[in-house]
Amino acid sequence: GVVAAVFDDAGHVLIVEHVFRTDHPWGLPGGWISRGEAPARAVARELREELQLDIEVKELIAAARIPATRMANHPSHLGLAYYARLKGGQCAPSREVLSVRWADPDRIDEDLAPFQRDAVLAGRSAFTRAQAKVERQ
């Protein structure tokens, strides 16, 4: 599975409430990687399909084994998380997404899965590094 910590210019991260996630409905946008598909392309495709958004996938920020839990409807799998920046599009949730919001990474009240909460923090660090680099130029 693959998710993206997508940041806007103000440093907010995109979180979504998923229809099909039973253990932690709120989380980062993403989905399953198709056979033979590059993970970075998969996450960009998922955001186009689910939200009508174009993103620029920047870097892999986390990878971990995601165990199946009693409440989960997903199998145990490898989770990949990417830092990404919003390029464009109008956020138009599909039938797979109930709600969407841009959140301050330090003030997310929703119950995110541990891997995704860690990915948000890693994404915030990547965003901060990228902003500092731009300011030095």
Side-chain angles (χ1 to χ4, degrees), residues 41 43-54:
R41 284 189 179 211
V43 76
R45 172 185 52 76
E46 285 287 343
L47 268 85
R48 275 191 307 278
E49 290 175 2
E50 292 182 2
L51 300 168
Q52 303 300 306
L53 293 177
D54 291 321

Side-chain angles (χ1 to χ4, degrees), residues 36-117:
E37 187 176 29
R41 284 189 179 211
V43 76
R45 172 185 52 76
E46 285 287 343
L47 268 85
R48 275 191 307 278
E49 290 175 2
E50 292 182 2
L51 300 168
Q52 303 300 306
L53 293 177
D54 291 321
I55 62 169
E56 182 178 359
V57 179
K58 296 289 197 173
E59 64 182 275
L60 181 67
I61 54 174
R65 181 181 165 277
I66 310 299
T69 64
R70 188 168 48 91
M71 294 297 296
N73 62 355
H74 61 74
S76 177
H77 63 279
L78 176 65
L80 302 174
Y82 285 89
Y83 164 62
R85 292 298 303 266
L86 179 65
K87 282 178 34 178
Q90 293 290 351
C91 193
S94 69
R95 62 180 174 77
E96 295 182 31
V97 175
L98 295 172
S99 303
V100 176
R101 82 178 189 92
W102 290 94
D104 178 332
D106 295 320
R107 294 198 167 113
I108 297 175
D109 295 326
E110 291 81 2
D111 180 31
L112 274 58
F115 173 73
Q116 295 200 14
R117 189 162 297 278

Side-chain angles (χ1 to χ4, degrees), residues 4-5 28 59-63 81-84 118-124 126 129:
L28 297 172
E59 64 182 275
L60 181 67
I61 54 174
Y82 285 89
Y83 164 62
D118 291 345
V120 167
L121 298 177
R124 182 192 60 199
R129 283 192 311 273

